[in-house]
Amino acid sequence: MSTQILMVIGDRLGKGQHVAVGAEKAGAKVIVIAGVAADMKLGDVMNAEQAQLGISFCGSGGAGAITAQTKYGYKVRYGMRSIEEGETAIAEGCTVLGFGFMDKEELGERLIKAYVKKYPA
């Protein structure tokens, strides 16, 4: 991969570190936004850092994703509960993904692989 993918993670409870480990294993650079309600800062950090991919975690996965879409126009899908839903969303061109709480390494790794498949270097 010639260009490193930058992923931003915003979690309502300040988590997301396990997803970050998986994404880094797949070759991405990751920014985990610190603090409670970090999901609401997702679009701002993605825009400032020119990130290719963002993940919002909260009860529904919607708040941070919808805020990023409204403020910056990112194509989003939210309310997701499985890794496969995230892979499909990336294949369909979404760059902001909203999940219920799911801080798993496998999620980060598979989403980066799906992004590389959709946008080969």
Side-chain angles (χ1 to χ4, degrees):
M1 173 171 31
S2 61
T3 304
Q4 190 173 41
I5 298 163
L6 177 58
M7 173 191 277
V8 177
I9 300 169
D11 186 289
R12 176 66 59 161
L13 300 177
K15 298 181 180 181
Q17 293 80 7
H18 297 290
V19 175
V21 168
E24 288 169 345
K25 281 183 183 176
K29 178 181 175 192
V30 181
I31 297 171
V32 178
I33 304 168
V36 175
D39 60 318
M40 298 306 291
K41 301 173 188 169
L42 180 66
D44 293 335
V45 175
M46 284 184 68
N47 185 62
E49 299 292 335
Q50 297 299 294
Q52 291 89 356
L53 197 56
I55 302 177
S56 170
F57 290 108
C58 68
S60 68
I66 292 168
T67 301
Q69 178 183 46
T70 301
K71 197 166 182 183
Y72 297 102
Y74 292 111
K75 186 173 179 184
V76 306
R77 178 145 324 134
Y78 57 89
M80 294 185 284
R81 300 276 185 237
S82 73
I83 296 170
E84 293 77 16
E85 285 178 289
E87 291 170 324
T88 299
I90 289 171
E92 293 173 358
C94 295
T95 56
V96 175
L97 310 175
F99 290 93
F101 296 113
M102 191 172 25
D103 191 10
K104 299 178 181 177
E105 282 187 33
E106 183 184 7
L107 176 63
E109 189 169 0
R110 286 179 54 187
L111 292 180
I112 294 302
K113 288 178 179 178
Y115 189 90
V116 169
K117 182 178 179 181
K118 170 78 175 170
Y119 305 103

